[in-house]
Amino acid sequence: MSNKDAFEKKHEAKIEEMKAEIDRLKAKAKQSEADTQIKYEEKISELEALKEQAEEKLEGLKKSSENAWSDISKGLESATQSLTTAVKAASSEFKN
């Protein structure tokens, strides 16, 4: 497996993990009271936007050549890290 393939798989798995966490937060939002539900929905919208950015970067990486992928990888790394940080913060915020 090439470095590009390994990098792609790693970030694909991370994005999938964050999607699952966002889905868990959505389910929790549905069970919450109205005022808390609004907060959940706002945060989930932010998370969805970050997830979409990470997915776009991942698609760019998948389409890139073996020689060009390292340039794209930095953007994907950053997008995935931002998504992970935001999801963890949201999960902590709504743990109660």
Side-chain angles (χ1 to χ4, degrees):
M1 180 180 288
S2 72
N3 286 344
K4 178 186 175 207
D5 291 340
F7 188 84
E8 181 182 313
K9 296 288 184 205
K10 173 186 169 189
H11 287 278
E12 192 169 37
K14 191 57 147 174
I15 292 169
E16 287 299 319
E17 181 183 337
M18 293 303 104
K19 281 183 190 176
E21 188 64 24
I22 291 169
D23 288 342
R24 190 185 67 74
L25 288 171
K26 285 179 183 177
K28 205 169 181 183
K30 287 180 183 178
Q31 297 172 356
S32 64
E33 294 185 25
D35 58 336
T36 306
Q37 189 170 8
I38 292 168
K39 290 179 186 176
Y40 265 112
E41 289 172 358
E42 289 172 355
K43 187 58 77 173
I44 288 168
S45 291
E46 292 172 20
L47 296 175
E48 290 285 348
L50 289 171
K51 177 186 65 76
E52 287 174 18
Q53 288 175 359
E55 288 174 329
E56 287 172 10
K57 301 280 185 191
L58 179 62
E59 284 305 310
L61 180 79
K62 287 180 178 181
K63 294 176 183 175
S64 70
S65 69
E66 191 68 34
N67 295 329
W69 79 271
S70 64
D71 293 335
I72 296 168
S73 68
K74 293 177 182 101
L76 176 58
E77 185 80 46
S78 176
T80 304
Q81 185 59 44
S82 294
L83 174 61
T84 301
T85 301
V87 168
K88 286 180 180 179
S91 293
S92 292
E93 184 177 340
F94 294 114
K95 248 193 172 112
N96 300 331

